[in-house]
Amino acid sequence: MKKQVCEGIYWVGANEWSKSHFHGHELSIKHGTTYNSFFIDDEKKVVIDSVRDSKCDEWFKNIEEFCKIEELDILIVDHAEPDHSTAIPRLLERNPNIQIYVSNGGKISVSRFFPMAVNNLKVVKTGDSIKIGKRTLKFFEAQMLHWPDTMFTYSDTDKVLFSADAFGEHLSTSKLFNDEIENEGLWYEAEKYFANILTLYSQPILKKIDAFLQLNWELKMIAPSHGIIWRDNPTQIVEKYIHWAKGECEGKAVIIFDTIWGGTEKMADAIGQGLAERGVHYKIFNAGSADMADVMTDLLGAKAIIMGSATRNNTVLPVIAAFLEETKGLKFRNKIGAAFGTYGWSGECIKRIEAGFAESGIEVVAEGVKSQFSPDEKDLLKCKELGHTIASKIKCK
Ligand code: FEO
């Protein structure tokens, strides 16, 4: 069935309904995903972005609703990560003369992944455009949204922006547009995508979005390479990106802990009580069972992160180390933090967590609370007081 985006532009991508993780096992996806690819039916037959190799047959079938693969003139690769590009070798087998438009970064990524495509590549940069018939396609280099190779392609006749991964989300749906679905986790998945994939690049993203908006291109639709097309109020997702990239937080807290015999968990609960007593909304995650990508999504919007671990082998428990590594990598902005935990004899958990916070850019705003073996009433009171302190810091920041 032909899926029309607007007159002359069609979705020819593929749905991935049941995949549970992305990037190997790095990123959980609970609503599947899509590999969006678009066919433009003009004097030149153009496809924007490809799909992963496992979906190549489906992609070919969708394109061949309009023309033979051998008749395609142009493939535009806005971003060459394998989920959008591993079908390219089979495309080249069928159509060895197709022109492939890429950014400067795309020239590197495509030729490294697919050396057989080198002679097909045409490099474009911001300000370049190509006439494909009644339409002109314009290009904008959108480095770090989310790779150095990322570019946007804009159809000036249709006012449609093809934005690669930017503004997308992992959400598989039979519908195409944001106004056709009843949320279905849309905003959560968009935020999860930003939190886990884009947070580290917040500064360059703000600059890039600012430069893009200065072009004053009218936007009737934003069509990312994953998830739905933004048709109703399309720039709402751009505004959200600005909000997230600025590190604008809600006044809530996230507590993450791992425990050996339950003592650190009791401390986490007491800190939560202290926060609640001061009117601060919080969530507690047991790091051993929590989904890291979901926790990072909550962290994006939280002001405070309070992390606890038992001490083992003179350091934190392994899952807490993994969470610290992730926060170090993502470098959330404008966060405050504190540490807590139990210990037997040495008690390094606090200083390890605080060192991790320092490397993550999280400001430690309260002395950590430590308890030997099992928290007693005094220790739990200190935990509650830690909750009070964090609440007051959240409110005055
Ligand atoms: Fe959807 Fe960065 O690939």
Side-chain angles (χ1 to χ4, degrees), residues 47-157:
V47 168
I48 296 181
D49 286 325
S50 164
V51 298
R52 67 182 303 169
D53 47 1
S54 59
K55 298 289 179 181
C56 187
D57 289 340
E58 199 174 325
W59 184 50
F60 282 175
K61 192 165 160 258
N62 288 339
I63 292 169
E64 289 192 321
E65 294 262 356
F66 306 95
C67 76
K68 291 184 181 158
I69 299 301
E70 292 77 3
E71 292 168 354
L72 288 173
D73 297 294
I74 290 170
L75 171 71
I76 293 170
V77 177
D78 280 334
H79 167 49
E81 197 165 0
D83 48 325
H84 309 287
S85 65
T86 38
I88 289 175
R90 282 187 58 197
L91 173 70
L92 286 171
E93 280 170 22
R94 301 245 333 242
N95 187 338
N97 297 318
I98 192 167
Q99 295 184 325
I100 301 179
Y101 282 81
V102 291
S103 67
N104 252 316
K107 183 179 176 187
I108 298 168
S109 51
V110 172
S111 23
R112 288 294 301 172
F113 281 126
F114 315 110
M116 74 291 282
V118 167
N119 293 329
N120 301 71
L121 300 183
K122 306 268 177 203
V123 175
V124 286
K125 57 187 187 312
T126 297
D128 288 348
S129 59
I130 53 171
K131 187 115 181 87
I132 60 167
K134 71 174 187 180
R135 291 176 178 80
T136 299
L137 300 180
K138 297 177 175 175
F139 301 102
F140 175 81
E141 292 162 282
Q143 293 98 335
M144 309 327 292
L145 271 156
H146 71 115
W147 269 15
D149 70 352
T150 302
M151 67 175 184
F152 296 167
T153 300
Y154 176 72
S155 171
D156 69 346
T157 306

Side-chain angles (χ1 to χ4, degrees), residues 186-197:
L186 169 62
W187 280 107
Y188 181 78
E189 291 301 329
E191 186 170 8
K192 185 173 178 175
Y193 196 92
F194 188 97
N196 286 277
I197 307 286

Side-chain angles (χ1 to χ4, degrees), residues 278-297:
R278 293 293 185 269
V280 168
H281 175 54
Y282 68 94
K283 270 192 187 177
I284 298 181
F285 292 98
N286 182 327
S289 56
D291 180 310
M292 188 182 290
D294 285 333
V295 177
M296 294 302 137
T297 309

